[in-house]
Amino acid sequence: MNFSGDDIRLDARVVSDAVTNACRRNRLRVEGTAVSDDVLTVICSSGEGFYTYRLTSLGQVSRQDLFAELRSRYDSSFRTAGAFQLADGIWTLTEKSESRLKTKGE
């Protein structure tokens, strides 16, 4: 999946939802990210589970602040699927595992 930096900056929530929905629909899981010319490529593979993805802008942060932010997200049960530089600063794509609601009898 490819997304322009402009689309991400315009509405990161819409792009996050697009990643989440595409992965759920196609039974994929994000494995990583790559950026070239302010275009984000989300790399996926077959996967099991139910995940929600979120893009978050960190702005211009130091390496030390980036590591602290990534650690904080890890401590809150988020997996960092990617951290990358766009024209306006550092962004992260994080993954949170969700359990499906159990139906009666399960």
Side-chain angles (χ1 to χ4, degrees), residues 65-80 94:
D65 289 340
L66 174 60
F67 292 148
E69 185 66 34
L70 295 176
R71 179 61 195 209
S72 171
R73 290 166 196 261
Y74 173 81
D75 290 343
S76 297
S77 299
F78 287 88
R79 182 180 78 92
T80 301
T94 54

Side-chain angles (χ1 to χ4, degrees), residues 39-101:
V39 174
L40 170 67
T41 300
V42 179
I43 303 157
C44 301
S45 65
S46 297
E48 296 296 323
F50 195 64
Y51 305 98
T52 299
Y53 295 95
R54 287 291 165 250
L55 286 159
T56 306
S57 173
L58 303 180
Q60 300 294 336
V61 296
S62 69
R63 180 178 295 160
Q64 190 172 20
D65 289 340
L66 174 60
F67 292 148
E69 185 66 34
L70 295 176
R71 179 61 195 209
S72 171
R73 290 166 196 261
Y74 173 81
D75 290 343
S76 297
S77 299
F78 287 88
R79 182 180 78 92
T80 301
F84 49 91
Q85 176 87 39
L86 291 177
D88 62 331
I90 302 291
W91 286 75
T92 61
L93 177 62
T94 54
E95 171 191 274
K96 179 101 174 172
S97 179
E98 295 183 9
S99 56
R100 290 187 182 262
L101 296 175

